């Protein structure tokens, strides 16, 4: 169970990224998780909710997009998405292939939030 | 004050901090000429026993060192020091894997230029160590013949991240009815083409081949660095 460590890293990264991009109130974190990332989604969500307490991210949602394993088949000369991560065989011709194109992602790909601007109320 | 909602693209690896430090470590290791091996397995697969053997065998011709990770105790470091190698223990407390910064901190005070081979024995765990790059040249996953032939498919992530698989306690293969074909097939299902070595520290089977393999991997790596 290393999802707690990963949730800590995610929160730290998101706080930094929010500062860099000028987001003052983060409402959602969009994360891509590969089928081979070694991370259990439910455990990450559970840990995330615990870790954000008392941080600037408190109340933010964690939106996870699952990324399936995509391999390159040397016989078909094409990329294919595998229905299951294993066995690592081309789903079309059955050739074994270790050429992994996608599936190891553990990436914070976007933040949703608001930028608080000082806007003068209209004169009326 | 008004709040303007927006979505901003970030596209950064969640473990960016660890990855950056691992990259820095890898550069330091390369500059100092250290070849680094990260050993991962379940508890009890025989990492420490194989490591003791490797340290004494390689120690006859090279300067070897090891970092050994456990949740608690210095027992493994004490065992390994008997080989005469430089050894430091990393106790992680409750953390179930090693991270690059633990390696970085533990190396403090060692002159890397004096070391030829550095072995990092990870915490016995086939799940969590998969996600953490330690700056190693190669990741070796160990399985003992007593663990069951389908173990690689039960822990696909770590096998898929490994460069080499070592099967330990091969002298027990017959006694426990180890089905070699099924095991090789399971490894190839999750990491097609992975190189596999069979060893027994007790009988010495496969040890010479394994040691020569490490030596030639180190030599090949150095040659590749020079030519690039």
């Amino acid at each position: 169970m290393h999802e707690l460590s990963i949730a800590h890293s995610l929160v730290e990264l998101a706080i930094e990224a929010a500062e860099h991009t000028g987001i003052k109130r983060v409402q959602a974190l969009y994360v891509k998780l590969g089928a081979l990332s070694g991370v259990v989604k439910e455990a990450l969500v559970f840990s995330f909710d615990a870790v954000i307490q008392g941080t600037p991210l408190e109340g933010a949602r964690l939106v996870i997009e699952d990324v399936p394993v995509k391999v390159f088949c040397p016989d078909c000369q094409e990329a294919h998405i595998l229905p299951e991560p294993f066995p690592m065989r081309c789903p079309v011709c059955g050739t074994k292939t270790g050429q992994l194109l996608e599936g190891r992602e553990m990436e914070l790909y976007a933040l949703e939030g608001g930028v608080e601007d000082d806007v003068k109320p209209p004169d009326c | 004050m008004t709040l303007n909602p927006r979505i901003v693209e970030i596209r950064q690896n969640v473990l960016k901090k660890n990855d950056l430090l691992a990259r820095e470590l890898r550069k330091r290791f390369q500059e100092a000429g250290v070849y680094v091996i990260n050993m991962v397995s379940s508890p009890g697969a025989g990492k420490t026993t194989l490591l003791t053997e490797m340290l004494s065998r390689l120690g006859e011709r090279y300067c070897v060192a090891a970092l050994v990770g456990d949740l608690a105790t210095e027992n493994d470091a004490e065992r390994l020091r008997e080989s005469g190698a430089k050894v430091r223990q990393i106790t992680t407390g409750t953390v179930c894997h090693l991270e690059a910064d633990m390696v970085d901190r533990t190396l403090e005070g060692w002159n890397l230029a004096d070391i030829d081979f550095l072995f990092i024995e990870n915490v016995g765990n086939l799940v969590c160590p998969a996600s953490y790059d330690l700056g190693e040249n190669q990741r070796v996953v160990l399985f003992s013949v007593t663990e069951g032939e389908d173990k690689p498919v039960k822990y696909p992530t770590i096998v898929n991240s490994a460069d080499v698989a070592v099967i330990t306690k091969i002298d027990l293969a017959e006694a426990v009815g180890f089905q070699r074909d099924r095991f090789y097939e399971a490894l190839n299902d999750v990491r097609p083409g992975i190189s596999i070595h069979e060893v027994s520290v007790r009988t010495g089977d496969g040890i010479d081949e394994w040691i020569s393999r490490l030596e030639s991997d180190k030599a090949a790596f150095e040659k590749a660095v020079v030519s690039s």
Side-chain angles (χ1 to χ4, degrees), chain A residues 1-2 5 9 12-13 21 23 36-37 86-89 96-97 104 106-119, chain B residues 1-17 96-97 128 131-132 156-157 160-161 188-190 192:
Chain A
M1 161 85 184
H2 60 318
S5 303
S9 303
E12 199 181 338
L13 179 68
T21 51
I23 294 182
L36 282 180
S37 63
F86 303 104
M88 291 186 81
R89 286 199 189 95
K96 285 204 173 188
T97 171
R104 280 198 183 141
M106 197 200 296
E107 181 190 78
L108 173 65
Y109 74 91
L111 284 178
E112 182 183 335
V115 181
E116 286 173 347
D117 293 329
D118 285 320
V119 179
Chain B
M1 298 278 269
T2 56
L3 194 70
N4 299 325
R6 67 157 99 140
I7 292 184
V8 183
E9 192 175 78
I10 308 293
R11 299 192 67 111
Q12 288 186 358
N13 191 333
V14 173
L15 297 180
K16 184 179 91 170
K17 232 171 121 182
C96 51
H97 56 269
C128 313
S131 305
Y132 294 87
T157 304
N160 188 265
S161 76
N188 274 286
D189 273 350
V190 290

Short mmCIF file of all heavy atoms in Angstrom, two decimals, chain A residues 1-2 5 9 12-13 21 23 36-37 86-89 96-97 104 106-119, chain B residues 1-17 96-97 128 131-132 156-157 160-161 188-190 192:
data_model
loop_
_atom_site.label_atom_id
_atom_site.label_comp_id
_atom_site.label_asym_id
_atom_site.label_seq_id
_atom_site.Cartn_x
_atom_site.Cartn_y
_atom_site.Cartn_z
N MET A 1 0.86 -1.20 0.00
CA MET A 1 0.00 0.00 0.00
C MET A 1 0.89 1.24 0.00
O MET A 1 1.36 1.69 1.04
CB MET A 1 -0.90 -0.06 1.25
CG MET A 1 -1.54 1.26 1.68
SD MET A 1 -3.07 1.63 0.82
CE MET A 1 -3.41 3.26 1.51
N HIS A 2 1.20 1.75 -1.18
CA HIS A 2 2.03 2.95 -1.25
C HIS A 2 1.21 4.13 -1.76
O HIS A 2 1.74 5.18 -2.06
CB HIS A 2 3.26 2.70 -2.12
CG HIS A 2 2.93 2.32 -3.53
ND1 HIS A 2 1.94 1.45 -3.87
CD2 HIS A 2 3.45 2.74 -4.69
CE1 HIS A 2 1.88 1.33 -5.18
NE2 HIS A 2 2.78 2.11 -5.70
N SER A 5 1.73 7.41 0.11
CA SER A 5 2.91 8.18 -0.32
C SER A 5 2.63 8.89 -1.63
O SER A 5 3.02 10.04 -1.83
CB SER A 5 4.11 7.26 -0.58
OG SER A 5 4.42 6.51 0.53
N SER A 9 2.63 12.91 -2.65
CA SER A 9 3.38 13.49 -3.78
C SER A 9 2.44 14.25 -4.71
O SER A 9 2.77 15.32 -5.21
CB SER A 9 4.08 12.40 -4.59
OG SER A 9 4.93 11.66 -3.77
N GLU A 12 1.40 17.58 -3.11
CA GLU A 12 2.53 18.50 -3.13
C GLU A 12 2.71 19.08 -4.55
O GLU A 12 2.87 20.28 -4.72
CB GLU A 12 3.78 17.71 -2.72
CG GLU A 12 4.94 18.54 -2.25
CD GLU A 12 6.14 17.64 -1.89
OE1 GLU A 12 5.91 16.41 -1.63
OE2 GLU A 12 7.25 18.12 -1.91
N LEU A 13 2.65 18.20 -5.53
CA LEU A 13 2.82 18.61 -6.93
C LEU A 13 1.70 19.56 -7.36
O LEU A 13 1.94 20.57 -8.02
CB LEU A 13 2.82 17.36 -7.83
CG LEU A 13 2.97 17.58 -9.33
CD1 LEU A 13 4.35 18.10 -9.66
CD2 LEU A 13 2.71 16.27 -10.09
N THR A 21 0.59 28.37 -11.86
CA THR A 21 -0.36 28.74 -12.89
C THR A 21 -1.38 29.76 -12.40
O THR A 21 -2.30 30.12 -13.13
CB THR A 21 -1.11 27.48 -13.40
OG1 THR A 21 -1.61 26.76 -12.26
CG2 THR A 21 -0.19 26.57 -14.18
N ILE A 23 -3.62 29.52 -9.99
CA ILE A 23 -4.93 29.06 -9.53
C ILE A 23 -4.99 29.20 -8.00
O ILE A 23 -4.15 28.67 -7.29
CB ILE A 23 -5.19 27.59 -9.94
CG1 ILE A 23 -5.30 27.51 -11.46
CG2 ILE A 23 -6.46 27.05 -9.29
CD1 ILE A 23 -5.60 26.14 -11.99
N LEU A 36 -0.73 -0.25 -15.78
CA LEU A 36 0.53 -0.77 -15.24
C LEU A 36 1.21 0.21 -14.30
O LEU A 36 2.40 0.11 -14.06
CB LEU A 36 1.49 -1.09 -16.39
CG LEU A 36 1.25 -2.37 -17.15
CD1 LEU A 36 2.27 -2.53 -18.25
CD2 LEU A 36 1.35 -3.55 -16.19
N SER A 37 0.47 1.17 -13.79
CA SER A 37 1.09 2.16 -12.90
C SER A 37 1.38 1.56 -11.53
O SER A 37 2.17 2.10 -10.77
CB SER A 37 0.16 3.37 -12.72
OG SER A 37 -1.04 2.96 -12.08
N PHE A 86 -2.59 -8.14 -19.51
CA PHE A 86 -1.80 -9.34 -19.78
C PHE A 86 -2.69 -10.42 -20.32
O PHE A 86 -3.87 -10.44 -20.01
CB PHE A 86 -1.12 -9.81 -18.49
CG PHE A 86 -0.27 -8.73 -17.93
CD1 PHE A 86 -0.68 -8.01 -16.83
CD2 PHE A 86 0.91 -8.39 -18.54
CE1 PHE A 86 0.09 -6.97 -16.35
CE2 PHE A 86 1.69 -7.36 -18.06
CZ PHE A 86 1.28 -6.65 -16.95
N PRO A 87 -2.14 -11.33 -21.08
CA PRO A 87 -0.76 -11.41 -21.55
C PRO A 87 -0.46 -10.33 -22.59
O PRO A 87 -1.36 -9.85 -23.27
CB PRO A 87 -0.69 -12.81 -22.20
CG PRO A 87 -2.09 -13.13 -22.57
CD PRO A 87 -2.95 -12.47 -21.54
N MET A 88 0.84 -9.97 -22.65
CA MET A 88 1.24 -8.92 -23.58
C MET A 88 1.43 -9.49 -24.99
O MET A 88 2.54 -9.75 -25.43
CB MET A 88 2.49 -8.21 -23.08
CG MET A 88 2.17 -7.39 -21.83
SD MET A 88 3.53 -6.41 -21.26
CE MET A 88 3.40 -5.02 -22.34
N ARG A 89 0.31 -9.72 -25.62
CA ARG A 89 0.30 -10.25 -26.99
C ARG A 89 -0.54 -9.35 -27.84
O ARG A 89 -1.53 -8.80 -27.36
CB ARG A 89 -0.37 -11.63 -27.01
CG ARG A 89 0.48 -12.73 -26.43
CD ARG A 89 -0.04 -14.10 -26.90
NE ARG A 89 0.66 -15.14 -26.17
CZ ARG A 89 0.20 -15.72 -25.08
NH1 ARG A 89 -0.97 -15.35 -24.59
NH2 ARG A 89 0.89 -16.66 -24.48
N LYS A 96 3.80 -12.01 -29.36
CA LYS A 96 4.18 -11.43 -28.07
C LYS A 96 4.97 -10.14 -28.31
O LYS A 96 5.81 -10.09 -29.21
CB LYS A 96 5.07 -12.40 -27.30
CG LYS A 96 4.27 -13.53 -26.73
CD LYS A 96 4.97 -14.16 -25.54
CE LYS A 96 4.02 -15.18 -24.93
NZ LYS A 96 4.49 -15.72 -23.68
N THR A 97 4.66 -9.13 -27.55
CA THR A 97 5.41 -7.88 -27.71
C THR A 97 5.58 -7.17 -26.38
O THR A 97 4.65 -7.07 -25.59
CB THR A 97 4.72 -6.93 -28.71
OG1 THR A 97 5.40 -5.66 -28.64
CG2 THR A 97 3.25 -6.72 -28.42
N ARG A 104 1.79 3.01 -18.31
CA ARG A 104 2.50 3.19 -17.05
C ARG A 104 2.24 4.56 -16.42
O ARG A 104 2.82 4.90 -15.41
CB ARG A 104 4.01 3.07 -17.28
CG ARG A 104 4.49 1.64 -17.36
CD ARG A 104 5.99 1.58 -17.16
NE ARG A 104 6.46 0.22 -17.31
CZ ARG A 104 7.58 -0.10 -17.91
NH1 ARG A 104 8.36 0.83 -18.39
NH2 ARG A 104 7.94 -1.37 -18.00
N MET A 106 1.22 7.86 -14.53
CA MET A 106 0.76 8.28 -13.21
C MET A 106 0.98 9.79 -13.25
O MET A 106 1.97 10.31 -12.80
CB MET A 106 1.63 7.64 -12.13
CG MET A 106 1.00 7.67 -10.75
SD MET A 106 2.25 7.44 -9.48
CE MET A 106 2.84 5.81 -9.81
N GLU A 107 0.04 10.47 -13.92
CA GLU A 107 0.30 11.85 -14.32
C GLU A 107 -0.81 12.80 -13.89
O GLU A 107 -2.00 12.50 -14.04
CB GLU A 107 0.42 11.87 -15.85
CG GLU A 107 0.71 13.22 -16.44
CD GLU A 107 0.58 13.23 -17.97
OE1 GLU A 107 -0.55 13.27 -18.47
OE2 GLU A 107 1.62 13.18 -18.64
N LEU A 108 -0.40 13.93 -13.35
CA LEU A 108 -1.34 15.01 -13.08
C LEU A 108 -1.42 15.79 -14.38
O LEU A 108 -0.47 16.45 -14.77
CB LEU A 108 -0.82 15.91 -11.95
CG LEU A 108 -1.63 17.18 -11.67
CD1 LEU A 108 -3.02 16.84 -11.16
CD2 LEU A 108 -0.92 18.08 -10.68
N TYR A 109 -2.53 15.66 -15.12
CA TYR A 109 -2.54 16.31 -16.42
C TYR A 109 -3.28 17.63 -16.46
O TYR A 109 -3.08 18.42 -17.37
CB TYR A 109 -2.95 15.37 -17.55
CG TYR A 109 -4.41 15.00 -17.65
CD1 TYR A 109 -5.29 15.74 -18.41
CD2 TYR A 109 -4.88 13.89 -16.98
CE1 TYR A 109 -6.63 15.39 -18.50
CE2 TYR A 109 -6.21 13.53 -17.07
CZ TYR A 109 -7.08 14.28 -17.84
OH TYR A 109 -8.39 13.93 -17.92
N ALA A 110 -4.14 17.90 -15.48
CA ALA A 110 -4.78 19.22 -15.45
C ALA A 110 -5.31 19.56 -14.06
O ALA A 110 -5.54 18.67 -13.24
CB ALA A 110 -5.93 19.26 -16.46
N LEU A 111 -5.46 20.84 -13.83
CA LEU A 111 -6.07 21.35 -12.60
C LEU A 111 -7.25 22.22 -12.99
O LEU A 111 -7.17 22.98 -13.95
CB LEU A 111 -5.08 22.21 -11.82
CG LEU A 111 -3.96 21.51 -11.05
CD1 LEU A 111 -3.07 22.56 -10.40
CD2 LEU A 111 -4.52 20.56 -10.01
N GLU A 112 -8.33 22.08 -12.23
CA GLU A 112 -9.47 22.95 -12.47
C GLU A 112 -9.64 23.83 -11.24
O GLU A 112 -9.55 23.35 -10.12
CB GLU A 112 -10.72 22.09 -12.67
CG GLU A 112 -11.97 22.89 -12.99
CD GLU A 112 -13.20 21.98 -13.12
OE1 GLU A 112 -13.04 20.78 -13.43
OE2 GLU A 112 -14.30 22.48 -12.89
N GLY A 113 -9.83 25.11 -11.48
CA GLY A 113 -10.00 26.00 -10.33
C GLY A 113 -10.31 27.39 -10.79
O GLY A 113 -10.61 27.63 -11.96
N GLY A 114 -10.22 28.28 -9.84
CA GLY A 114 -10.56 29.66 -10.19
C GLY A 114 -9.40 30.59 -9.95
O GLY A 114 -8.56 30.35 -9.10
N VAL A 115 -9.37 31.63 -10.73
CA VAL A 115 -8.40 32.70 -10.50
C VAL A 115 -9.20 33.87 -9.96
O VAL A 115 -10.16 34.31 -10.57
CB VAL A 115 -7.70 33.10 -11.80
CG1 VAL A 115 -6.67 34.19 -11.54
CG2 VAL A 115 -7.03 31.88 -12.40
N GLU A 116 -8.81 34.32 -8.78
CA GLU A 116 -9.53 35.46 -8.19
C GLU A 116 -8.94 36.74 -8.73
O GLU A 116 -7.77 37.05 -8.51
CB GLU A 116 -9.42 35.40 -6.66
CG GLU A 116 -10.28 34.31 -6.06
CD GLU A 116 -10.06 34.13 -4.57
OE1 GLU A 116 -9.08 34.68 -4.04
OE2 GLU A 116 -10.88 33.44 -3.96
N ASP A 117 -9.75 37.47 -9.47
CA ASP A 117 -9.28 38.74 -10.03
C ASP A 117 -9.90 39.90 -9.26
O ASP A 117 -11.04 39.83 -8.83
CB ASP A 117 -9.71 38.87 -11.50
CG ASP A 117 -8.99 37.84 -12.37
OD1 ASP A 117 -7.86 37.50 -12.03
OD2 ASP A 117 -9.60 37.39 -13.35
N ASP A 118 -9.11 40.95 -9.12
CA ASP A 118 -9.67 42.18 -8.55
C ASP A 118 -10.42 42.91 -9.65
O ASP A 118 -9.82 43.45 -10.56
CB ASP A 118 -8.57 43.08 -8.01
CG ASP A 118 -8.02 42.53 -6.71
OD1 ASP A 118 -8.83 42.04 -5.90
OD2 ASP A 118 -6.79 42.55 -6.53
N VAL A 119 -11.72 42.87 -9.57
CA VAL A 119 -12.51 43.56 -10.60
C VAL A 119 -13.34 44.64 -9.88
O VAL A 119 -14.03 44.36 -8.89
CB VAL A 119 -13.44 42.58 -11.34
CG1 VAL A 119 -14.28 43.30 -12.39
CG2 VAL A 119 -12.63 41.47 -11.99
N MET B 1 -14.15 41.00 -5.84
CA MET B 1 -13.40 39.78 -6.21
C MET B 1 -14.32 38.83 -6.97
O MET B 1 -15.37 38.47 -6.48
CB MET B 1 -12.90 39.06 -4.95
CG MET B 1 -11.94 39.85 -4.12
SD MET B 1 -10.28 39.75 -4.74
CE MET B 1 -9.65 38.34 -3.86
N THR B 2 -13.91 38.40 -8.16
CA THR B 2 -14.69 37.39 -8.88
C THR B 2 -13.81 36.18 -9.14
O THR B 2 -12.58 36.29 -9.17
CB THR B 2 -15.20 37.91 -10.24
OG1 THR B 2 -14.07 38.34 -10.98
CG2 THR B 2 -16.20 39.02 -10.08
N LEU B 3 -14.45 35.05 -9.28
CA LEU B 3 -13.70 33.81 -9.50
C LEU B 3 -13.90 33.36 -10.94
O LEU B 3 -15.03 33.08 -11.35
CB LEU B 3 -14.23 32.76 -8.53
CG LEU B 3 -13.40 31.51 -8.35
CD1 LEU B 3 -12.11 31.81 -7.61
CD2 LEU B 3 -14.19 30.47 -7.59
N ASN B 4 -12.83 33.34 -11.69
CA ASN B 4 -12.94 32.90 -13.08
C ASN B 4 -12.55 31.44 -13.18
O ASN B 4 -11.39 31.11 -13.02
CB ASN B 4 -12.01 33.71 -13.99
CG ASN B 4 -12.37 35.18 -13.98
OD1 ASN B 4 -13.55 35.52 -13.87
ND2 ASN B 4 -11.38 36.05 -14.04
N PRO B 5 -13.52 30.58 -13.44
CA PRO B 5 -13.18 29.16 -13.49
C PRO B 5 -12.35 28.82 -14.73
O PRO B 5 -12.58 29.40 -15.79
CB PRO B 5 -14.54 28.46 -13.54
CG PRO B 5 -15.49 29.49 -14.02
CD PRO B 5 -14.93 30.84 -13.73
N ARG B 6 -11.40 27.96 -14.57
CA ARG B 6 -10.65 27.50 -15.75
C ARG B 6 -9.96 26.15 -15.48
O ARG B 6 -9.78 25.77 -14.33
CB ARG B 6 -9.64 28.54 -16.19
CG ARG B 6 -8.49 28.77 -15.24
CD ARG B 6 -7.30 29.35 -15.98
NE ARG B 6 -7.21 30.79 -15.84
CZ ARG B 6 -6.06 31.44 -15.67
NH1 ARG B 6 -4.93 30.78 -15.63
NH2 ARG B 6 -6.03 32.74 -15.54
N ILE B 7 -9.62 25.49 -16.57
CA ILE B 7 -8.87 24.23 -16.46
C ILE B 7 -7.50 24.47 -17.07
O ILE B 7 -7.39 24.96 -18.19
CB ILE B 7 -9.59 23.07 -17.18
CG1 ILE B 7 -10.89 22.73 -16.44
CG2 ILE B 7 -8.70 21.84 -17.25
CD1 ILE B 7 -11.65 21.54 -16.99
N VAL B 8 -6.46 24.18 -16.31
CA VAL B 8 -5.10 24.42 -16.79
C VAL B 8 -4.37 23.10 -16.97
O VAL B 8 -4.40 22.24 -16.07
CB VAL B 8 -4.32 25.28 -15.76
CG1 VAL B 8 -2.93 25.61 -16.28
CG2 VAL B 8 -5.07 26.56 -15.46
N GLU B 9 -3.75 22.94 -18.12
CA GLU B 9 -3.01 21.70 -18.39
C GLU B 9 -1.70 21.71 -17.57
O GLU B 9 -1.00 22.71 -17.55
CB GLU B 9 -2.70 21.63 -19.88
CG GLU B 9 -2.18 20.27 -20.28
CD GLU B 9 -1.97 20.16 -21.78
OE1 GLU B 9 -0.96 20.67 -22.27
OE2 GLU B 9 -2.82 19.56 -22.44
N ILE B 10 -1.40 20.60 -16.93
CA ILE B 10 -0.18 20.51 -16.11
C ILE B 10 0.79 19.47 -16.70
O ILE B 10 1.96 19.74 -16.88
CB ILE B 10 -0.51 20.14 -14.64
CG1 ILE B 10 -1.56 21.07 -14.03
CG2 ILE B 10 0.76 20.10 -13.79
CD1 ILE B 10 -1.16 22.51 -13.84
N ARG B 11 0.30 18.29 -16.96
CA ARG B 11 1.08 17.20 -17.55
C ARG B 11 2.41 16.94 -16.85
O ARG B 11 3.48 17.09 -17.45
CB ARG B 11 1.33 17.46 -19.03
CG ARG B 11 0.04 17.54 -19.85
CD ARG B 11 0.36 17.51 -21.32
NE ARG B 11 0.90 16.20 -21.65
CZ ARG B 11 0.25 15.32 -22.39
NH1 ARG B 11 -0.93 15.60 -22.86
NH2 ARG B 11 0.79 14.16 -22.66
N GLN B 12 2.33 16.59 -15.59
CA GLN B 12 3.56 16.25 -14.87
C GLN B 12 3.38 14.92 -14.15
O GLN B 12 2.30 14.63 -13.62
CB GLN B 12 3.90 17.34 -13.85
CG GLN B 12 4.40 18.60 -14.53
CD GLN B 12 4.87 19.65 -13.55
OE1 GLN B 12 4.80 19.47 -12.34
NE2 GLN B 12 5.37 20.75 -14.07
N ASN B 13 4.46 14.14 -14.13
CA ASN B 13 4.42 12.87 -13.43
C ASN B 13 4.23 13.12 -11.94
O ASN B 13 4.88 13.98 -11.36
CB ASN B 13 5.74 12.13 -13.68
CG ASN B 13 5.68 10.70 -13.21
OD1 ASN B 13 4.91 10.36 -12.29
ND2 ASN B 13 6.46 9.84 -13.82
N VAL B 14 3.32 12.35 -11.34
CA VAL B 14 3.03 12.52 -9.91
C VAL B 14 4.30 12.33 -9.08
O VAL B 14 4.52 13.01 -8.08
CB VAL B 14 1.91 11.53 -9.47
CG1 VAL B 14 1.71 11.56 -7.98
CG2 VAL B 14 0.61 11.86 -10.19
N LEU B 15 5.17 11.41 -9.49
CA LEU B 15 6.40 11.16 -8.74
C LEU B 15 7.58 11.95 -9.33
O LEU B 15 8.72 11.49 -9.32
CB LEU B 15 6.71 9.66 -8.70
CG LEU B 15 5.65 8.82 -7.98
CD1 LEU B 15 6.04 7.35 -7.99
CD2 LEU B 15 5.46 9.28 -6.54
N LYS B 16 7.28 13.14 -9.85
CA LYS B 16 8.29 13.97 -10.50
C LYS B 16 9.52 14.19 -9.62
O LYS B 16 10.66 14.09 -10.08
CB LYS B 16 7.66 15.31 -10.86
CG LYS B 16 8.56 16.24 -11.64
CD LYS B 16 7.87 17.54 -11.99
CE LYS B 16 8.11 18.56 -10.90
NZ LYS B 16 7.66 19.91 -11.26
N LYS B 17 9.27 14.47 -8.33
CA LYS B 17 10.39 14.76 -7.42
C LYS B 17 11.33 13.56 -7.33
O LYS B 17 12.55 13.71 -7.41
CB LYS B 17 9.82 15.08 -6.03
CG LYS B 17 10.34 16.38 -5.47
CD LYS B 17 9.58 16.73 -4.23
CE LYS B 17 10.53 16.85 -3.06
NZ LYS B 17 9.80 17.15 -1.82
N CYS B 96 6.97 1.02 2.73
CA CYS B 96 7.10 -0.32 2.19
C CYS B 96 8.00 -0.42 0.96
O CYS B 96 7.98 -1.41 0.25
CB CYS B 96 5.71 -0.84 1.86
SG CYS B 96 4.80 0.33 0.84
N HIS B 97 8.78 0.64 0.68
CA HIS B 97 9.64 0.64 -0.52
C HIS B 97 10.76 1.64 -0.29
O HIS B 97 10.67 2.46 0.64
CB HIS B 97 8.81 1.09 -1.72
CG HIS B 97 8.17 2.44 -1.51
ND1 HIS B 97 6.91 2.57 -0.98
CD2 HIS B 97 8.64 3.70 -1.69
CE1 HIS B 97 6.62 3.86 -0.86
NE2 HIS B 97 7.66 4.57 -1.27
N CYS B 128 4.94 -2.13 -4.16
CA CYS B 128 5.29 -0.70 -4.09
C CYS B 128 6.63 -0.32 -4.72
O CYS B 128 6.73 0.73 -5.34
CB CYS B 128 5.24 -0.25 -2.64
SG CYS B 128 3.73 -0.83 -1.83
N SER B 131 7.12 1.44 -8.47
CA SER B 131 6.88 2.82 -8.92
C SER B 131 8.08 3.75 -8.71
O SER B 131 8.06 4.87 -9.20
CB SER B 131 5.68 3.39 -8.16
OG SER B 131 4.56 2.58 -8.32
N TYR B 132 9.08 3.31 -7.95
CA TYR B 132 10.15 4.24 -7.57
C TYR B 132 11.49 3.93 -8.24
O TYR B 132 12.12 2.92 -7.95
CB TYR B 132 10.31 4.26 -6.04
CG TYR B 132 9.09 4.84 -5.38
CD1 TYR B 132 7.99 4.04 -5.06
CD2 TYR B 132 8.99 6.20 -5.13
CE1 TYR B 132 6.85 4.57 -4.50
CE2 TYR B 132 7.86 6.76 -4.55
CZ TYR B 132 6.79 5.93 -4.24
OH TYR B 132 5.65 6.48 -3.69
N PRO B 156 2.22 -8.30 -11.92
CA PRO B 156 2.72 -7.94 -13.25
C PRO B 156 3.49 -6.63 -13.31
O PRO B 156 4.43 -6.51 -14.09
CB PRO B 156 1.44 -7.84 -14.08
CG PRO B 156 0.34 -7.61 -13.10
CD PRO B 156 0.75 -8.32 -11.85
N THR B 157 3.09 -5.65 -12.49
CA THR B 157 3.71 -4.33 -12.63
C THR B 157 5.20 -4.38 -12.36
O THR B 157 6.01 -3.83 -13.11
CB THR B 157 3.03 -3.32 -11.69
OG1 THR B 157 1.65 -3.33 -11.99
CG2 THR B 157 3.57 -1.92 -11.90
N ASN B 160 7.01 -6.29 -15.10
CA ASN B 160 7.08 -5.50 -16.32
C ASN B 160 8.12 -4.39 -16.24
O ASN B 160 8.63 -3.93 -17.25
CB ASN B 160 5.70 -4.92 -16.65
CG ASN B 160 5.68 -4.27 -18.00
OD1 ASN B 160 5.86 -3.07 -18.11
ND2 ASN B 160 5.54 -5.08 -19.04
N SER B 161 8.45 -3.97 -15.01
CA SER B 161 9.44 -2.89 -14.87
C SER B 161 10.86 -3.45 -14.71
O SER B 161 11.82 -2.69 -14.63
CB SER B 161 9.09 -2.01 -13.66
OG SER B 161 9.42 -2.67 -12.46
N ASN B 188 7.07 -14.47 -19.36
CA ASN B 188 7.00 -13.93 -20.71
C ASN B 188 5.64 -13.31 -21.06
O ASN B 188 5.56 -12.48 -21.95
CB ASN B 188 7.38 -15.00 -21.73
CG ASN B 188 8.88 -15.03 -21.93
OD1 ASN B 188 9.45 -14.14 -22.56
ND2 ASN B 188 9.54 -16.00 -21.33
N ASP B 189 4.60 -13.72 -20.33
CA ASP B 189 3.29 -13.10 -20.54
C ASP B 189 3.31 -11.64 -20.10
O ASP B 189 2.64 -10.80 -20.67
CB ASP B 189 2.21 -13.83 -19.74
CG ASP B 189 1.64 -15.01 -20.51
OD1 ASP B 189 1.95 -15.12 -21.72
OD2 ASP B 189 0.91 -15.81 -19.91
N VAL B 190 4.06 -11.37 -19.02
CA VAL B 190 4.04 -10.00 -18.49
C VAL B 190 5.25 -9.18 -18.91
O VAL B 190 5.21 -7.96 -18.88
CB VAL B 190 3.90 -9.99 -16.95
CG1 VAL B 190 2.51 -10.42 -16.55
CG2 VAL B 190 4.93 -10.84 -16.27
N PRO B 192 7.55 -9.90 -22.09
CA PRO B 192 8.05 -10.73 -23.18
C PRO B 192 9.55 -10.52 -23.42
O PRO B 192 10.02 -9.38 -23.47
CB PRO B 192 7.23 -10.25 -24.38
CG PRO B 192 5.97 -9.71 -23.80
CD PRO B 192 6.38 -9.09 -22.49
#
